[in-house]
Amino acid sequence: MFKLSPLGKRLGSIPFKPQPNHPLLNDESSVIGFVGLGNMGFNMAKNLVTKSSNSIIVYDINKDATSKFSQIQVPLSSNNDSPRISVASNLSEIAAKSNYIITMLPESAHVKAAYCGKDGLLAHLKPGTVCIDSSTIDTHVSIEVSNLISDKGAIPLDAPVSGGVMGAEAGSLTFMVGGRSSDEFLIAKDILQFMGSKIIHCGGLGTGQTVKICNNMLLGSAMIATAEAMALGTKLGVDPKLLSTVINSSSGRCWSSEVSNPCPGVLPNAPSSRDYNDGFASKLMLKDMYLSLNAAKSQKIPLLLSSLSTQIYGHVCNDADLANKDFSSVFKWINKK
């Protein structure tokens, strides 16, 4: 298990004390800041603004994404008939205007830069702000950033997700939450429920990230195994839909076979049936596999299968096209061999 820094240990034992006039989510004057409108973040933020009555201010370096988000049709604020969606010009504006901040970014470096960079979130963070990071990043970086957030009198939580783009679209994500106390977890749960169907308190700061990298480590290998099974069966002349039906009625059933089958045409809504577009990129799965290997190395745990799976995703990502495709495109890579 990862060890918290002395500051993390100290903060983890402090019971939650609401800030004076701390805004509650059911108060429409509370503003939600959202940073990161990629395939996952865009749909998560969309569910927030369409399901809650709160205003949302968004930021992303991709101006096309923020422009598209600003065009979502939602009712005006009942308080003053003002638009409930706005686009921040920088991270400082997000921090200054938000009571809740959610970050959904690709890697550890992006989260650290968003908070700790020049004119980043920390520079203008208000005491009492609830800061939820739903990125999948290194546990040590997560704890480091959380401690800096705590120093500002704000509330840090790590809350990575599982469920993929389809789960983000449907609002059925699973959130794995690490935080300083159960009271602070309940505050986060109030907002996460608009984006997910399962919100699980995993323990102290960083535990959400630990659970997530374990889950993705398993998922990465399971997808490769599913892709190999589908490739073998179809090469031997079995109809892929029939093969999938049998697998999903048998002991080989898993998320990769049932929800995101890697064989095109088996599931119409899966990324594989959209030329592997609009999913969880292979390069991000490779990043997550490395996170698990690095964590295992620190604990001296051999991960033989996961090491091999990481090598396979490395080969997939050597194909510039497949690197940005959904990680189920490992099926396509296998069939090229």
Side-chain angles (χ1 to χ4, degrees):
M1 181 60 65
F2 293 96
K3 295 181 179 179
L4 296 179
S5 66
L7 179 59
K9 289 180 179 178
R10 174 169 57 81
L11 290 170
S13 64
I14 297 176
F16 171 65
K17 294 181 180 179
Q19 296 288 329
N21 302 317
H22 183 79
L24 299 175
L25 191 61
N26 58 14
D27 178 357
E28 289 187 11
S29 65
S30 295
V31 177
I32 303 168
F34 203 104
V35 180
L37 297 178
N39 289 337
M40 293 292 293
F42 187 96
N43 291 294
M44 291 166 65
K46 182 178 180 180
N47 275 316
L48 267 179
V49 75
T50 55
K51 293 180 180 179
S52 77
S53 57
N54 298 84
S55 296
I56 186 168
I57 180 170
V58 298
Y59 177 79
D60 195 289
I61 58 173
N62 182 346
K63 302 308 177 186
D64 289 339
T66 54
S67 176
K68 181 181 177 182
F69 191 85
S70 67
Q71 296 170 26
I72 296 173
Q73 298 297 311
V74 294
L76 298 175
S77 171
S78 61
N79 287 337
N80 52 19
D81 290 332
S82 61
R84 288 176 45 231
I85 296 176
S86 59
V87 176
S89 57
N90 51 53
L91 290 168
S92 298
E93 186 179 354
I94 289 279
K97 293 183 177 180
S98 303
N99 306 108
Y100 298 79
I101 297 174
I102 300 172
T103 45
M104 187 63 174
L105 299 167
E107 299 183 19
S108 299
H110 300 117
V111 174
K112 200 166 183 178
Y115 271 98
C116 307
K118 183 180 179 181
D119 292 325
L121 295 169
L122 284 175
H124 298 273
L125 197 61
K126 298 179 295 187
T129 302
V130 179
C131 300
I132 302 171
D133 180 34
S134 288
S135 318
T136 299
I137 62 173
D138 183 273
T139 302
H140 290 95
V141 172
S142 178
I143 293 172
E144 178 186 349
V145 173
S146 291
N147 287 337
L148 293 172
I149 292 170
S150 294
D151 286 344
K152 291 287 186 176
I155 301 169
L157 300 109
D158 51 288
V161 304
S162 180
V165 174
M166 289 182 286
E169 291 173 345
S172 59
L173 294 170
T174 294
F175 283 88
M176 294 150 268
V177 186
R180 300 181 302 186
S181 71
S182 57
D183 289 326
E184 293 183 356
F185 164 72
L186 292 176
I187 291 176
K189 188 175 182 179
D190 279 345
I191 190 170
L192 298 179
Q193 66 183 349
F194 294 112
M195 301 176 286
S197 58
K198 294 181 181 178
I199 299 100
I200 302 166
H201 189 198
C202 299
L205 293 174
T207 56
Q209 294 293 350
T210 297
V211 172
K212 175 59 191 294
I213 63 173
C214 291
N215 177 80
N216 274 26
M217 177 183 73
L218 175 59
L219 173 62
S221 294
M223 181 59 80
I224 293 172
T226 303
E228 289 183 341
M230 293 301 299
L232 177 61
T234 53
K235 288 288 187 181
L236 292 174
V238 178
D239 177 79
K241 289 186 177 180
L242 183 144
L243 178 59
S244 174
T245 298
V246 173
I247 289 173
N248 291 328
S249 301
S250 307
S251 55
R253 173 186 174 189
C254 62
W255 185 89
S256 298
S257 65
E258 188 174 36
V259 177
S260 188
N261 195 289
C263 182
V266 171
L267 296 174
N269 294 323
S272 60
S273 296
R274 303 191 300 264
D275 193 28
Y276 301 100
N277 290 319
D278 302 324
F280 184 66
S282 298
K283 63 183 181 182
L284 294 180
M285 176 54 78
L286 178 61
K287 179 263 297 184
D288 288 356
M289 296 300 292
Y290 273 121
L291 288 177
S292 66
L293 293 186
N294 290 338
K297 184 177 180 180
S298 72
Q299 302 302 311
K300 299 181 180 179
I301 298 175
L303 299 180
L304 303 182
L305 177 58
S306 297
S307 296
L308 180 57
S309 296
T310 303
Q311 293 178 40
I312 292 172
Y313 284 114
H315 288 304
V316 172
C317 290
N318 284 335
D319 183 318
D321 180 50
L322 295 184
N324 293 300
K325 298 285 189 179
D326 183 76
F327 73 109
S328 61
S329 62
V330 66
F331 176 85
K332 191 172 183 179
W333 178 82
I334 290 169
N335 278 286
K336 284 183 176 180
K337 298 293 109 180

